[in-house]
Amino acid sequence: MIAKKSLTLTVLAALALNPLVSFAASKMPLATGTGGAVATISEPATKAAMQILNQGGNAIDAAVAAAATLGVTDPFSCGIGGGGFMLIYLAKENRFISIDHRETAPRNFSPAVFLQEGKEIEFDTAVSSGMSVGVPGTVRGWHEALARYGTMNFKQVLAPAITTAEQGFAVSANFHHFNVGSEKKFAQFNSSSALYLKDGKALPVGMLFKNPDMGKAYRELAIGGVNAFYSGKMAAAILHTVNQPPTVNGVQVRPGQMTKADLLDYEVRLRLPIHSTYRGYDIYGLALPSSGGITIAEALNILEGYDTKSMSREQVEHLYLEASRLAFADRNAYLADPEFVDVPVTGILSKEFASERRKQISMQHASALNNPAAAGDPYPFQNDQSIPLRPLPVKTVLREESKHTTHLTVSDKDGNIVAYTYTIEDWGGNGMVVPGYGFLLNNEMTDFDFSGPHPNVPEAGKRPRSSMSPTIVLKNGKPAFTVGSPGGATIITTVLQTIVNHLDLGMSMDKALAAPRMSERNGSTTQVEPNFVGSPQALRLAPFGHQWKLADELDWEIGAASAITFNADGTVTAASEPVRHGVGSVLVQKPAH
Ligand code: GLU
């Protein structure tokens, strides 16, 4: 257990670095009404989406508008230099589709790309390099979303983001905080220091920040469409940055080897989402290469075997942690890009496999400490003759993963829903602003396992395993709620815990989001937020013997979620973070009075 004194200090330190209260004043994290609804982490992004809805755009148009604005206001976690996963519910057709626009490994990749003399290179060295950059998927993802399911074009939906980039906004405490986190990284590159540092330090709170180069990039997309990104001048600038990083004098980083063809050939994948059931609800989540949907579904299948309604909160939370541990053991062992490896998805998702996994759980005690759970054997439940050969037993490894991205959600008056998580991976991505275009490049390739044998090792054309988990839940065929979060691998536990809080513990969605988060990912300890340790809830959970690990002082938040619930009376409630990440921002089209 962590001493109360260190908790207090940690909370104070975290609050000192995140003066949330002052920043929170103008933002609204909860609203109910009718018509469309928007929840994001950024007020300008939420307003951008609402502007598009009010102009007659649908949820897909509005989601792209919000995402583009987030690329300006939250540039350290997302932008057109990265990729993501968009989950769409089309109300009229009662159908789901997901647009996988995950970054893809360039052609030069091999399983040894992050090895030097047979050893894994340092994680941070890999991050700040040209090698960590995957071919960005965001612009093609937005293009496909608009062309197939939207009603507007780039020019219309990028307009609010262009205004925000060109007119600027005051640097918030939250922006500053994440800027501080990337100072060292940005100091290595001329273009990044020029945009995001002042005298070598993060931009001060209150400063008017403008990004005219980002405005220019969006203007080129508005005129030239998707091709303006994947070919021509912007493509050349991206390749130049990746292959000859714009380092300051005296700094050397590893260059990448991305080619024109890598950019030109980038494709999104339209994938059927993962569908599972939980206590009468239908849960739709992301399919591979995101591990989110499968891992959440497995954990819920495990939990479904317990009568949680008759249990105390701490008993349910103990089971949540144990179910998450087991689901992560399987995730860490088996899940990777399905175009490169045969993953036993059917087996992992089967209710019978969940029953088998449940046998590992004690109602009274946390699993053996310092002893990660072994992966289960889903093959007997796979019922798939196309996977005749069982692979060798796999190790379940919890590897280093960064955790900074953004999640937004929009619904429109016709009932369409978009749940969208997108990212450039680490805070500030790989640290390189593309000169002249004002956006940061991703370091998504560090989501691969650096060494094998493992299904998630790097390969040319492969997409690294993700944790992004935009989720939409139906009850009796009608939308009940949607939720998602940033946070690297903690995305999965944040979404899972929010679902458990809402459905099993009966919390309203805003309370489910506000509750202190615990993230168990089959490591030796369970990561918790500072306000959990020493709380009455933590004391009640203590007899189960879980081993807590306090989140990093500079980085204490687990996730920054957004949700919309669809109420029985026909109203919608948009809910975003009430405390974390500088407080989220929501709007509904016609607020209830
Ligand atoms: N790279 C992470 C993933 O794909 C997301 C980035 C983050 O949340 O930090 O799961």
Side-chain angles (χ1 to χ4, degrees), residues 308-371:
T308 51
K309 283 278 185 257
S310 68
M311 292 176 185
S312 65
R313 176 170 169 183
E314 50 274 17
Q315 181 74 67
V316 175
E317 287 179 336
H318 162 68
L319 294 173
Y320 149 68
L321 294 173
E322 293 298 296
S324 182
R325 184 196 306 274
L326 293 169
F328 262 89
D330 298 326
R331 168 211 185 257
N332 298 347
Y334 295 111
L335 304 190
D337 186 340
E339 293 175 28
F340 285 74
V341 283
D342 280 332
V343 181
V345 176
T346 310
I348 294 175
L349 288 177
S350 84
K351 299 276 184 192
E352 292 73 26
F353 178 58
S355 301
E356 201 54 39
R357 297 299 272 151
R358 212 173 291 127
K359 293 179 186 158
Q360 306 289 318
I361 296 180
S362 149
M363 294 297 282
Q364 286 86 29
H365 305 291
S367 320
L369 298 174
N370 300 318
N371 188 9

Side-chain angles (χ1 to χ4, degrees), residues 102 402-405 423 425 444 447 466-468 486-488 491:
R102 181 75 162 164
S402 348
K403 48 186 187 69
H404 317 285
T405 178
T423 190
E425 220 302 283
E444 214 70 52
D447 268 2
S466 171
S467 297
M468 289 189 255
I491 291 173

